[in-house]
Amino acid sequence: MKKPEGHIDHNNVVISIRGLRKSFGDLHVLRGVDLDVYQGENLVVLGRSGTGKSVLIKLIVGLLRPDAGTINVLGQDVDTLTVKELDQLRLKVGFSFQSSALYDSMTIRENLEFPLVRNVRNLSRQEINRAVEESLEDVGLSQTINQMPSELSGGQRKRIGIARTLILKPDIMLYDEPTAGLDPITSNDINNLINEVQERHRATSIIITHDLTCAKETGDRLAMLLDGRFERQGTFDEVFATNDERVQQFYHYNFIE
Amino acid sequence: MESTTTKPDEAATEKPVVTRRLDRVFLELYNVAAFVSRFFKEVLMPPYEGKEIIRQFFEVGYKSLGLISLTGFITGIVFTNQSRPSLAEFGATSWLPSLIAIAIVRALAPLVTALIASGKVGSNIGAELGSMKVTEQIDAMEVSATNPYKFLVVSRVLATTFAIPTLTMYTIFVAMVGAFINVNANEATSFPAFIEQFFGAITYLDVFSSVIKSFVFGFTIGMVGCYKGYHSSKGTEGVGKAANSSVVTSMFLVFIEELLALQIVAALRAV
Ligand SMILES: Nc1ncnc2c1ncn2[C@@H]1O[C@H](COP(=O)(O)OP(=O)(O)OP(=O)(O)O)[C@@H](O)[C@H]1O
Ligand SMILES: [Mg+2]
């Protein structure tokens, strides 16, 4: 399935990363990452477990600080922002956690409301309710509104996590393994949702995944993290058209042939 | 943005074990100092989490009220009963209400309240924040532009700081009731006589120093629980450890503070 590329603006770089390095003690995770993400694009980041994919997007939202290099998001250098400026930027960047990270002392409704109530002033009760209901509908989980996160399955929690990040209609979405641990049908729903977010909100997304179906369905471009750098970038077919064993293994173990 | 993770002791790899341990102690001390001073910086800065503070205040009260009622009441009865023989030797059992008043107000009520709260509230805060840390809920708050330190830590510390003195007052009351029942049954002391003796024995300094002490206890319990939770290590094991060490550390600190308070109040009495 080939996606239409009409809404990607190649003249407009929304995330630009140069020479990014990050280590934890002796563990050198990112070793000089360069990356540009264009307005309206879905960029899929591939890489084996522990290669630093989650670390990369945590650096983008300022949850971690780089050892070296620059990260520019929507024209702002993340590492030099004040707390207030960083908060302003974060409102434009949705972050869907690998672990869902739902607030387990709150109901689903309260989880979804949280970013709205705290960041958008003067919203009426009706407006909040409408936004919550719409987001829940987007992920097909309207019936869970009054439940607690602990009562939901892992896949449902994941979808609520995505709904919670979508509620502020961010310009950039960062999905950390959105389909991991989901059945193929739900995975397909999530893939469609990601594409819909791209089309409807004109959002730019980075999608981290191990799931090549997800990569193929949602990605306009793929980037593969190998040994702390993006060594291969391009369309799905371009990335896998190589004899590099590390890339080939990734492909073959994903599909049952 | 202010990172909550501690720097791994990078330079420590080739140093001898003793120096490495010392490094870690100083690093921990530095982290504690930074964590506590951040409280004073943020508590004064808007936005104020009023709703959350009140919710946490009632949570603390609600969680410990039952246990405190029981222990306070029993402490009153037991202490009265155990003190009786010594006073009886001097034929001075009529002094029981005065003796009890001093013991309860000055020492027993603040201490019992703080210890119960350490066990009940401190462990709860440690476990709650620990699991929020481990499951990235604290990070999630941060990326949705909410200051998690203010929302979680400042509100809880303020709640315990004000709830513990309130609960201490309540403990004084129930312990007094326990003591009265015992005295009434044994010496047939009337209620007005008991009250008169009870309050005649204590001074403003007694009450004042107990309240101040309880503020400090409350601050300690909240701070320790939050610190342990906020810095808990990954995994469910980390959560258990955070809860457990919250209790141990805050009980330990409460006794140290009690000892210090004793010195201070003694000095005040002398002037
Ligand atoms: N806060 C941290 N402190 C220390 N080490 C960390 C921290 N965060 C990540 N790491 C380490 O960095 C490496 C990369 O972690 P990361 O979570 O980015 O992997 P990943 O590519 O997302 O893997 P997965 O596909 O399994 O999610 C891991 O070895 C991890 O142990
Ligand atoms: Mg990851």
Side-chain angles (χ1 to χ4, degrees), chain A residues 1 3-4 7-8 40-45 175 178-179 187-196 198 205-209 211-222 236:
Chain A
M1 194 200 299
K3 290 180 41 176
H7 28 61
I8 302 172
E41 178 182 38
N42 274 355
L43 175 81
V44 166
V45 171
Y175 301 93
T179 59
S187 293
N188 189 50
D189 289 344
I190 296 282
N191 295 343
N192 291 339
L193 178 68
I194 293 173
N195 285 333
E196 224 176 278
Q198 180 187 30
S205 304
I206 294 183
I207 302 134
I208 291 176
T209 189
D211 169 6
L212 291 189
T213 313
C214 170
K216 205 168 191 173
E217 294 287 323
T218 62
D220 300 306
R221 190 158 61 96
L222 275 64
F236 190 89

mmCIF file of all heavy atoms in Angstrom, chain A residues 1 3-4 7-8 40-45 175 178-179 187-196 198 205-209 211-222 236:
data_model
loop_
_atom_site.group_PDB
_atom_site.id
_atom_site.type_symbol
_atom_site.label_atom_id
_atom_site.label_comp_id
_atom_site.label_asym_id
_atom_site.label_seq_id
_atom_site.Cartn_x
_atom_site.Cartn_y
_atom_site.Cartn_z
ATOM 1 N N MET A 1 0.838 -1.200 0.000
ATOM 2 C CA MET A 1 0.000 0.000 0.000
ATOM 3 C C MET A 1 0.877 1.257 0.000
ATOM 4 O O MET A 1 1.721 1.444 0.853
ATOM 5 C CB MET A 1 -0.888 0.014 1.259
ATOM 6 C CG MET A 1 -2.008 1.033 1.156
ATOM 7 S SD MET A 1 -2.682 1.469 2.746
ATOM 8 C CE MET A 1 -3.310 -0.105 3.323
ATOM 9 N N LYS A 3 1.262 5.242 0.312
ATOM 10 C CA LYS A 3 0.521 6.383 0.859
ATOM 11 C C LYS A 3 0.693 7.618 -0.016
ATOM 12 O O LYS A 3 1.754 7.841 -0.560
ATOM 13 C CB LYS A 3 1.050 6.689 2.256
ATOM 14 C CG LYS A 3 0.680 5.645 3.246
ATOM 15 C CD LYS A 3 1.223 5.971 4.598
ATOM 16 C CE LYS A 3 1.091 7.440 4.910
ATOM 17 N NZ LYS A 3 1.518 7.757 6.254
ATOM 18 N N PRO A 4 -0.353 8.420 -0.122
ATOM 19 C CA PRO A 4 -0.197 9.688 -0.851
ATOM 20 C C PRO A 4 0.734 10.605 -0.056
ATOM 21 O O PRO A 4 0.687 10.646 1.159
ATOM 22 C CB PRO A 4 -1.619 10.251 -0.890
ATOM 23 C CG PRO A 4 -2.317 9.610 0.269
ATOM 24 C CD PRO A 4 -1.690 8.265 0.446
ATOM 25 N N HIS A 7 0.764 15.871 1.544
ATOM 26 C CA HIS A 7 0.798 16.890 2.600
ATOM 27 C C HIS A 7 2.168 17.066 3.246
ATOM 28 O O HIS A 7 2.300 17.731 4.250
ATOM 29 C CB HIS A 7 -0.253 16.585 3.655
ATOM 30 C CG HIS A 7 -0.560 15.130 3.775
ATOM 31 N ND1 HIS A 7 0.390 14.230 4.115
ATOM 32 C CD2 HIS A 7 -1.705 14.446 3.529
ATOM 33 C CE1 HIS A 7 -0.172 13.022 4.113
ATOM 34 N NE2 HIS A 7 -1.422 13.120 3.748
ATOM 35 N N ILE A 8 3.192 16.470 2.686
ATOM 36 C CA ILE A 8 4.507 16.670 3.287
ATOM 37 C C ILE A 8 5.175 17.896 2.679
ATOM 38 O O ILE A 8 5.250 18.033 1.472
ATOM 39 C CB ILE A 8 5.402 15.435 3.073
ATOM 40 C CG1 ILE A 8 4.722 14.219 3.685
ATOM 41 C CG2 ILE A 8 6.775 15.653 3.679
ATOM 42 C CD1 ILE A 8 5.406 12.916 3.378
ATOM 43 N N GLY A 40 4.449 17.494 8.383
ATOM 44 C CA GLY A 40 3.428 16.628 7.809
ATOM 45 C C GLY A 40 3.881 15.210 7.533
ATOM 46 O O GLY A 40 3.108 14.397 7.026
ATOM 47 N N GLU A 41 5.094 14.903 7.917
ATOM 48 C CA GLU A 41 5.653 13.593 7.581
ATOM 49 C C GLU A 41 5.447 12.583 8.716
ATOM 50 O O GLU A 41 5.417 12.937 9.885
ATOM 51 C CB GLU A 41 7.152 13.778 7.342
ATOM 52 C CG GLU A 41 7.895 12.496 7.031
ATOM 53 C CD GLU A 41 9.396 12.748 6.858
ATOM 54 O OE1 GLU A 41 9.965 13.579 7.597
ATOM 55 O OE2 GLU A 41 9.982 12.112 5.987
ATOM 56 N N ASN A 42 5.300 11.318 8.341
ATOM 57 C CA ASN A 42 5.352 10.239 9.324
ATOM 58 C C ASN A 42 6.708 9.560 9.201
ATOM 59 O O ASN A 42 6.971 8.870 8.217
ATOM 60 C CB ASN A 42 4.274 9.190 9.043
ATOM 61 C CG ASN A 42 2.941 9.537 9.661
ATOM 62 O OD1 ASN A 42 2.826 10.533 10.385
ATOM 63 N ND2 ASN A 42 1.940 8.734 9.386
ATOM 64 N N LEU A 43 7.551 9.762 10.193
ATOM 65 C CA LEU A 43 8.857 9.120 10.151
ATOM 66 C C LEU A 43 8.864 7.921 11.093
ATOM 67 O O LEU A 43 8.535 8.047 12.270
ATOM 68 C CB LEU A 43 9.961 10.091 10.583
ATOM 69 C CG LEU A 43 11.338 9.418 10.659
ATOM 70 C CD1 LEU A 43 11.970 9.316 9.281
ATOM 71 C CD2 LEU A 43 12.245 10.145 11.624
ATOM 72 N N VAL A 44 9.200 6.756 10.553
ATOM 73 C CA VAL A 44 9.277 5.565 11.398
ATOM 74 C C VAL A 44 10.722 5.346 11.818
ATOM 75 O O VAL A 44 11.625 5.409 10.994
ATOM 76 C CB VAL A 44 8.744 4.332 10.643
ATOM 77 C CG1 VAL A 44 9.139 3.048 11.356
ATOM 78 C CG2 VAL A 44 7.236 4.411 10.505
ATOM 79 N N VAL A 45 10.924 5.138 13.122
ATOM 80 C CA VAL A 45 12.265 4.830 13.616
ATOM 81 C C VAL A 45 12.318 3.361 13.992
ATOM 82 O O VAL A 45 11.536 2.885 14.820
ATOM 83 C CB VAL A 45 12.624 5.699 14.841
ATOM 84 C CG1 VAL A 45 13.918 5.226 15.469
ATOM 85 C CG2 VAL A 45 12.741 7.153 14.429
ATOM 86 N N TYR A 175 5.214 8.651 18.933
ATOM 87 C CA TYR A 175 4.608 7.385 19.370
ATOM 88 C C TYR A 175 5.712 6.399 19.717
ATOM 89 O O TYR A 175 6.518 6.051 18.867
ATOM 90 C CB TYR A 175 3.790 6.757 18.248
ATOM 91 C CG TYR A 175 2.657 7.567 17.683
ATOM 92 C CD1 TYR A 175 2.849 8.377 16.578
ATOM 93 C CD2 TYR A 175 1.372 7.474 18.232
ATOM 94 C CE1 TYR A 175 1.805 9.091 16.014
ATOM 95 C CE2 TYR A 175 0.317 8.184 17.670
ATOM 96 C CZ TYR A 175 0.542 8.992 16.565
ATOM 97 O OH TYR A 175 -0.496 9.691 16.012
ATOM 98 N N PRO A 178 3.613 2.069 19.363
ATOM 99 C CA PRO A 178 2.156 2.140 19.525
ATOM 100 C C PRO A 178 1.462 0.791 19.345
ATOM 101 O O PRO A 178 0.385 0.605 19.893
ATOM 102 C CB PRO A 178 1.731 3.124 18.430
ATOM 103 C CG PRO A 178 2.815 3.089 17.424
ATOM 104 C CD PRO A 178 4.078 2.841 18.192
ATOM 105 N N THR A 179 2.056 -0.131 18.615
ATOM 106 C CA THR A 179 1.356 -1.396 18.372
ATOM 107 C C THR A 179 1.961 -2.579 19.120
ATOM 108 O O THR A 179 1.501 -3.707 18.958
ATOM 109 C CB THR A 179 1.354 -1.742 16.867
ATOM 110 O OG1 THR A 179 2.708 -1.841 16.425
ATOM 111 C CG2 THR A 179 0.629 -0.688 16.052
ATOM 112 N N SER A 187 -3.921 -3.551 16.065
ATOM 113 C CA SER A 187 -2.745 -2.894 15.478
ATOM 114 C C SER A 187 -3.135 -2.137 14.230
ATOM 115 O O SER A 187 -2.712 -1.000 14.019
ATOM 116 C CB SER A 187 -1.677 -3.919 15.103
ATOM 117 O OG SER A 187 -1.160 -4.505 16.248
ATOM 118 N N ASN A 188 -3.950 -2.777 13.416
ATOM 119 C CA ASN A 188 -4.390 -2.144 12.184
ATOM 120 C C ASN A 188 -5.188 -0.868 12.474
ATOM 121 O O ASN A 188 -5.032 0.148 11.799
ATOM 122 C CB ASN A 188 -5.214 -3.143 11.369
ATOM 123 C CG ASN A 188 -5.507 -2.603 9.989
ATOM 124 O OD1 ASN A 188 -4.598 -2.155 9.310
ATOM 125 N ND2 ASN A 188 -6.776 -2.609 9.609
ATOM 126 N N ASP A 189 -6.040 -0.941 13.530
ATOM 127 C CA ASP A 189 -6.801 0.255 13.931
ATOM 128 C C ASP A 189 -5.855 1.382 14.316
ATOM 129 O O ASP A 189 -6.077 2.546 13.973
ATOM 130 C CB ASP A 189 -7.715 -0.052 15.127
ATOM 131 C CG ASP A 189 -8.873 -0.947 14.726
ATOM 132 O OD1 ASP A 189 -9.119 -1.070 13.498
ATOM 133 O OD2 ASP A 189 -9.518 -1.526 15.615
ATOM 134 N N ILE A 190 -4.823 1.026 15.075
ATOM 135 C CA ILE A 190 -3.859 2.042 15.519
ATOM 136 C C ILE A 190 -3.137 2.644 14.317
ATOM 137 O O ILE A 190 -2.974 3.863 14.221
ATOM 138 C CB ILE A 190 -2.834 1.430 16.503
ATOM 139 C CG1 ILE A 190 -3.528 0.954 17.775
ATOM 140 C CG2 ILE A 190 -1.711 2.421 16.821
ATOM 141 C CD1 ILE A 190 -3.890 2.030 18.747
ATOM 142 N N ASN A 191 -2.732 1.769 13.385
ATOM 143 C CA ASN A 191 -2.074 2.279 12.173
ATOM 144 C C ASN A 191 -2.967 3.279 11.453
ATOM 145 O O ASN A 191 -2.513 4.349 11.036
ATOM 146 C CB ASN A 191 -1.734 1.135 11.220
ATOM 147 C CG ASN A 191 -0.699 0.200 11.812
ATOM 148 O OD1 ASN A 191 -0.015 0.565 12.773
ATOM 149 N ND2 ASN A 191 -0.590 -1.001 11.265
ATOM 150 N N ASN A 192 -4.250 2.924 11.332
ATOM 151 C CA ASN A 192 -5.189 3.839 10.677
ATOM 152 C C ASN A 192 -5.307 5.154 11.439
ATOM 153 O O ASN A 192 -5.375 6.228 10.838
ATOM 154 C CB ASN A 192 -6.569 3.194 10.542
ATOM 155 C CG ASN A 192 -6.541 2.055 9.541
ATOM 156 O OD1 ASN A 192 -5.646 2.001 8.681
ATOM 157 N ND2 ASN A 192 -7.477 1.129 9.646
ATOM 158 N N LEU A 193 -5.327 5.029 12.778
ATOM 159 C CA LEU A 193 -5.432 6.230 13.607
ATOM 160 C C LEU A 193 -4.233 7.148 13.379
ATOM 161 O O LEU A 193 -4.378 8.371 13.217
ATOM 162 C CB LEU A 193 -5.530 5.827 15.087
ATOM 163 C CG LEU A 193 -5.587 6.976 16.093
ATOM 164 C CD1 LEU A 193 -6.882 7.738 15.961
ATOM 165 C CD2 LEU A 193 -5.430 6.458 17.510
ATOM 166 N N ILE A 194 -3.053 6.549 13.335
ATOM 167 C CA ILE A 194 -1.835 7.343 13.124
ATOM 168 C C ILE A 194 -1.909 8.078 11.781
ATOM 169 O O ILE A 194 -1.589 9.268 11.696
ATOM 170 C CB ILE A 194 -0.586 6.434 13.196
ATOM 171 C CG1 ILE A 194 -0.402 5.911 14.614
ATOM 172 C CG2 ILE A 194 0.668 7.192 12.730
ATOM 173 C CD1 ILE A 194 0.686 4.870 14.760
ATOM 174 N N ASN A 195 -2.370 7.374 10.770
ATOM 175 C CA ASN A 195 -2.494 8.012 9.451
ATOM 176 C C ASN A 195 -3.568 9.091 9.435
ATOM 177 O O ASN A 195 -3.432 10.117 8.774
ATOM 178 C CB ASN A 195 -2.794 6.958 8.384
ATOM 179 C CG ASN A 195 -1.552 6.150 8.052
ATOM 180 O OD1 ASN A 195 -0.441 6.638 8.197
ATOM 181 N ND2 ASN A 195 -1.734 4.910 7.641
ATOM 182 N N GLU A 196 -4.626 8.847 10.205
ATOM 183 C CA GLU A 196 -5.700 9.822 10.272
ATOM 184 C C GLU A 196 -5.244 11.104 10.951
ATOM 185 O O GLU A 196 -5.592 12.205 10.533
ATOM 186 C CB GLU A 196 -6.851 9.221 11.077
ATOM 187 C CG GLU A 196 -8.206 9.451 10.474
ATOM 188 C CD GLU A 196 -9.233 8.733 11.302
ATOM 189 O OE1 GLU A 196 -9.381 7.510 11.089
ATOM 190 O OE2 GLU A 196 -9.856 9.367 12.176
ATOM 191 N N GLN A 198 -2.300 12.202 10.936
ATOM 192 C CA GLN A 198 -1.459 12.890 9.955
ATOM 193 C C GLN A 198 -2.317 13.691 8.974
ATOM 194 O O GLN A 198 -2.040 14.856 8.702
ATOM 195 C CB GLN A 198 -0.621 11.862 9.187
ATOM 196 C CG GLN A 198 0.280 12.486 8.140
ATOM 197 C CD GLN A 198 0.965 11.431 7.291
ATOM 198 O OE1 GLN A 198 0.418 10.351 7.081
ATOM 199 N NE2 GLN A 198 2.149 11.736 6.814
ATOM 200 N N SER A 205 4.773 13.218 12.665
ATOM 201 C CA SER A 205 4.905 12.165 13.674
ATOM 202 C C SER A 205 6.218 11.418 13.574
ATOM 203 O O SER A 205 6.743 11.217 12.483
ATOM 204 C CB SER A 205 3.778 11.138 13.540
ATOM 205 O OG SER A 205 2.526 11.760 13.623
ATOM 206 N N ILE A 206 6.725 11.025 14.744
ATOM 207 C CA ILE A 206 7.800 10.040 14.775
ATOM 208 C C ILE A 206 7.194 8.792 15.398
ATOM 209 O O ILE A 206 6.594 8.855 16.473
ATOM 210 C CB ILE A 206 8.999 10.520 15.613
ATOM 211 C CG1 ILE A 206 9.660 11.727 14.945
ATOM 212 C CG2 ILE A 206 10.012 9.389 15.778
ATOM 213 C CD1 ILE A 206 10.899 12.227 15.666
ATOM 214 N N ILE A 207 7.312 7.683 14.690
ATOM 215 C CA ILE A 207 6.720 6.447 15.162
ATOM 216 C C ILE A 207 7.832 5.432 15.406
ATOM 217 O O ILE A 207 8.527 5.043 14.471
ATOM 218 C CB ILE A 207 5.719 5.883 14.137
ATOM 219 C CG1 ILE A 207 4.619 6.913 13.856
ATOM 220 C CG2 ILE A 207 5.124 4.566 14.614
ATOM 221 C CD1 ILE A 207 4.320 7.094 12.400
ATOM 222 N N ILE A 208 8.000 5.068 16.670
ATOM 223 C CA ILE A 208 9.012 4.061 16.994
ATOM 224 C C ILE A 208 8.334 2.706 16.966
ATOM 225 O O ILE A 208 7.266 2.536 17.563
ATOM 226 C CB ILE A 208 9.573 4.314 18.399
ATOM 227 C CG1 ILE A 208 10.401 5.576 18.398
ATOM 228 C CG2 ILE A 208 10.399 3.129 18.870
ATOM 229 C CD1 ILE A 208 10.897 5.949 19.755
ATOM 230 N N THR A 209 8.923 1.764 16.283
ATOM 231 C CA THR A 209 8.263 0.456 16.246
ATOM 232 C C THR A 209 9.227 -0.666 15.893
ATOM 233 O O THR A 209 10.296 -0.444 15.320
ATOM 234 C CB THR A 209 7.083 0.481 15.250
ATOM 235 O OG1 THR A 209 6.342 -0.718 15.386
ATOM 236 C CG2 THR A 209 7.552 0.623 13.815
ATOM 237 N N ASP A 211 7.481 -3.254 14.660
ATOM 238 C CA ASP A 211 6.463 -3.947 13.893
ATOM 239 C C ASP A 211 6.530 -3.440 12.450
ATOM 240 O O ASP A 211 6.168 -2.309 12.160
ATOM 241 C CB ASP A 211 5.121 -3.640 14.576
ATOM 242 C CG ASP A 211 3.926 -4.063 13.752
ATOM 243 O OD1 ASP A 211 4.105 -4.700 12.698
ATOM 244 O OD2 ASP A 211 2.799 -3.731 14.175
ATOM 245 N N LEU A 212 7.018 -4.289 11.544
ATOM 246 C CA LEU A 212 7.250 -3.823 10.174
ATOM 247 C C LEU A 212 5.957 -3.556 9.418
ATOM 248 O O LEU A 212 5.938 -2.769 8.477
ATOM 249 C CB LEU A 212 8.139 -4.807 9.415
ATOM 250 C CG LEU A 212 9.593 -4.871 9.897
ATOM 251 C CD1 LEU A 212 10.440 -5.705 8.954
ATOM 252 C CD2 LEU A 212 10.209 -3.487 10.048
ATOM 253 N N THR A 213 4.871 -4.205 9.842
ATOM 254 C CA THR A 213 3.588 -3.896 9.217
ATOM 255 C C THR A 213 3.219 -2.454 9.526
ATOM 256 O O THR A 213 2.832 -1.679 8.643
ATOM 257 C CB THR A 213 2.478 -4.831 9.735
ATOM 258 O OG1 THR A 213 2.978 -6.157 9.690
ATOM 259 C CG2 THR A 213 1.231 -4.709 8.915
ATOM 260 N N CYS A 214 3.371 -2.105 10.806
ATOM 261 C CA CYS A 214 3.104 -0.731 11.236
ATOM 262 C C CYS A 214 4.013 0.229 10.476
ATOM 263 O O CYS A 214 3.570 1.269 9.984
ATOM 264 C CB CYS A 214 3.314 -0.610 12.742
ATOM 265 S SG CYS A 214 3.314 1.065 13.384
ATOM 266 N N ALA A 215 5.286 -0.137 10.351
ATOM 267 C CA ALA A 215 6.242 0.722 9.652
ATOM 268 C C ALA A 215 5.814 0.953 8.211
ATOM 269 O O ALA A 215 5.830 2.068 7.706
ATOM 270 C CB ALA A 215 7.632 0.103 9.699
ATOM 271 N N LYS A 216 5.393 -0.123 7.586
ATOM 272 C CA LYS A 216 5.024 -0.043 6.181
ATOM 273 C C LYS A 216 3.745 0.765 5.978
ATOM 274 O O LYS A 216 3.645 1.573 5.068
ATOM 275 C CB LYS A 216 4.822 -1.469 5.656
ATOM 276 C CG LYS A 216 5.019 -1.592 4.166
ATOM 277 C CD LYS A 216 5.096 -3.057 3.771
ATOM 278 C CE LYS A 216 5.552 -3.174 2.335
ATOM 279 N NZ LYS A 216 5.805 -4.567 1.959
ATOM 280 N N GLU A 217 2.774 0.538 6.877
ATOM 281 C CA GLU A 217 1.475 1.199 6.745
ATOM 282 C C GLU A 217 1.545 2.692 7.048
ATOM 283 O O GLU A 217 0.870 3.489 6.406
ATOM 284 C CB GLU A 217 0.461 0.570 7.709
ATOM 285 C CG GLU A 217 0.097 -0.869 7.404
ATOM 286 C CD GLU A 217 -0.789 -0.973 6.173
ATOM 287 O OE1 GLU A 217 -1.641 -0.082 5.994
ATOM 288 O OE2 GLU A 217 -0.617 -1.933 5.403
ATOM 289 N N THR A 218 2.317 3.044 8.074
ATOM 290 C CA THR A 218 2.253 4.430 8.538
ATOM 291 C C THR A 218 3.403 5.296 8.042
ATOM 292 O O THR A 218 3.265 6.510 7.965
ATOM 293 C CB THR A 218 2.265 4.508 10.083
ATOM 294 O OG1 THR A 218 3.495 3.943 10.554
ATOM 295 C CG2 THR A 218 1.107 3.751 10.685
ATOM 296 N N GLY A 219 4.553 4.682 7.711
ATOM 297 C CA GLY A 219 5.744 5.483 7.465
ATOM 298 C C GLY A 219 5.845 6.041 6.057
ATOM 299 O O GLY A 219 5.701 5.317 5.085
ATOM 300 N N ASP A 220 6.068 7.353 5.952
ATOM 301 C CA ASP A 220 6.439 7.926 4.667
ATOM 302 C C ASP A 220 7.924 7.661 4.436
ATOM 303 O O ASP A 220 8.377 7.524 3.313
ATOM 304 C CB ASP A 220 6.213 9.441 4.660
ATOM 305 C CG ASP A 220 4.760 9.780 4.915
ATOM 306 O OD1 ASP A 220 3.907 9.256 4.194
ATOM 307 O OD2 ASP A 220 4.477 10.543 5.864
ATOM 308 N N ARG A 221 8.644 7.641 5.541
ATOM 309 C CA ARG A 221 10.084 7.448 5.472
ATOM 310 C C ARG A 221 10.498 6.642 6.694
ATOM 311 O O ARG A 221 9.880 6.741 7.759
ATOM 312 C CB ARG A 221 10.768 8.817 5.487
ATOM 313 C CG ARG A 221 12.238 8.820 5.199
ATOM 314 C CD ARG A 221 12.651 10.207 4.719
ATOM 315 N NE ARG A 221 12.387 11.207 5.752
ATOM 316 C CZ ARG A 221 13.322 11.645 6.617
ATOM 317 N NH1 ARG A 221 14.543 11.198 6.556
ATOM 318 N NH2 ARG A 221 13.002 12.551 7.524
ATOM 319 N N LEU A 222 11.525 5.841 6.542
ATOM 320 C CA LEU A 222 12.006 5.031 7.658
ATOM 321 C C LEU A 222 13.442 5.417 7.969
ATOM 322 O O LEU A 222 14.197 5.791 7.079
ATOM 323 C CB LEU A 222 12.001 3.538 7.285
ATOM 324 C CG LEU A 222 10.700 2.755 7.464
ATOM 325 C CD1 LEU A 222 9.618 3.299 6.551
ATOM 326 C CD2 LEU A 222 10.937 1.285 7.214
ATOM 327 N N PHE A 236 10.449 2.348 2.767
ATOM 328 C CA PHE A 236 10.521 0.986 3.263
ATOM 329 C C PHE A 236 11.423 0.130 2.382
ATOM 330 O O PHE A 236 12.341 -0.532 2.855
ATOM 331 C CB PHE A 236 9.107 0.397 3.317
ATOM 332 C CG PHE A 236 9.035 -0.918 4.027
ATOM 333 C CD1 PHE A 236 8.829 -0.973 5.388
ATOM 334 C CD2 PHE A 236 9.181 -2.101 3.321
ATOM 335 C CE1 PHE A 236 8.774 -2.196 6.053
ATOM 336 C CE2 PHE A 236 9.132 -3.317 3.974
ATOM 337 C CZ PHE A 236 8.926 -3.366 5.342
#
